[in-house]
Amino acid sequence: MRLAITTLAILLAACAGQRDSVPLRIAAASDLRFALDQVAGAYKGQNPGAELDIVYGSSGAFYTQIQNGAPFDLYFSADAEYPRRLAREGLTVEGSEFRYAVGRIVLWSATIEPDAETLRDPAIRKIAIANPQHAPYGRAAEAALQSLGLYEQVRDKLVLGENVAQTLQFVQSGGADVGIVALALALAPTVHGHYWEFPLDSYPRMEQGGAILRRSTDPAAAAAFRDFILSPEGRAILTRYGFSEGD
């Protein structure tokens, strides 16, 4: 009997250890790829036992996945409206929604120094943007082109990426001549090229936000990471990548 109890205790301890090692599952907008990786590194430096599993992609696609039960703990969206909707649908931890930045868009090229006139150049045959159907940066790009009176002129040249990171990759690989991407990606240390920033009044304000999800298995850990990115240290990293607080 004593042996059985001892064995059970060992098994329970092992199971507890397995639960402790489960990483925090984070769904993040693809414009955060470089900035959030750096934030995560700083966070783990202060919390050596922390494990983070960050998946980057389209904010709209993640919204749909979360509606359908995707097992994420924390959601960072390039459009703050998505986590607000999830909150209204009862899919977030009550009161956990937050705003972390305001995003900006640029015209990016790997080879030339672009400006507004670049888009009118007949030598530019393909312009990459994120898919406006589910990517906030795609909607911003479309709005900026319309605001500048360029949309009808370039619409047949548009190449759609699944998200803003893939949009950048299209240009890097030569699949497009230029691309409208997040300033945060253009400023990444591993991204080499040139950019021109669209006027802020040429597209709707890109308020970015997130929430802790109701399906989270460790809302306390999710809250700790959320609080870190909103701390002065976390915000300083976001600022280096062109995100503003927008206060």
Side-chain angles (χ1 to χ4, degrees), residues 188-204:
T190 58
V191 175
H192 306 293
H194 311 277
Y195 70 87
W196 171 77
E197 187 171 349
F198 282 86
L200 287 173
D201 61 1
S202 67
Y203 56 95

Side-chain angles (χ1 to χ4, degrees), residues 19-204:
R19 284 196 300 271
D20 290 342
S21 66
V22 172
L24 193 68
R25 301 156 302 179
I26 301 170
S30 58
D31 66 320
L32 281 170
R33 180 176 298 274
F34 298 100
L36 195 58
D37 279 353
Q38 191 169 336
V39 171
Y43 180 76
K44 289 190 285 188
Q46 297 182 19
N47 302 272
E51 293 186 54
L52 307 175
D53 181 10
I54 306 175
V55 180
Y56 296 101
S58 161
S59 298
F62 280 137
Y63 168 72
T64 301
Q65 291 171 24
I66 292 165
Q67 283 185 309
N68 291 326
F72 293 114
D73 297 285
L74 189 57
Y75 174 42
F76 290 93
S77 171
D79 184 346
E81 181 57 24
Y82 283 131
R84 291 187 191 121
R85 289 182 194 172
L86 292 174
R88 291 195 292 269
E89 294 163 10
L91 295 176
T92 66
V93 172
E94 186 175 355
S96 69
E97 301 80 40
F98 59 95
R99 184 183 65 187
Y100 62 85
V102 172
R104 291 142 71 182
I105 59 172
V106 300
L107 181 65
W108 188 87
S109 169
T111 57
I112 64 174
E113 294 191 12
D115 56 30
E117 292 306 308
T118 300
L119 293 167
R120 303 182 192 275
D121 187 343
I124 301 298
R125 298 187 176 185
K126 291 185 178 181
I127 302 166
I129 69 171
N131 191 329
Q133 293 298 316
H134 52 248
Y137 276 94
R139 292 196 291 273
E142 203 172 64
L145 291 171
Q146 290 171 339
S147 176
L148 297 174
L150 292 167
Y151 184 75
E152 292 302 324
Q153 184 177 338
V154 304
R155 66 185 303 171
D156 292 335
K157 299 181 179 182
L158 297 180
V159 179
L160 304 184
E162 181 67 17
N163 53 61
V164 73
Q166 188 181 71
T167 302
L168 179 72
Q169 291 167 5
F170 282 168
V171 187
Q172 289 176 315
S173 67
D177 301 299
V178 295
I180 301 176
V181 304
L183 174 61
L185 297 181
L187 292 175
T190 58
V191 175
H192 306 293
H194 311 277
Y195 70 87
W196 171 77
E197 187 171 349
F198 282 86
L200 287 173
D201 61 1
S202 67
Y203 56 95

Side-chain angles (χ1 to χ4, degrees), residues 99 101-102 205 207 244-247:
R99 184 183 65 187
V102 172
R205 174 184 168 94
E207 187 173 291
S244 65
E245 291 187 33
D247 293 335

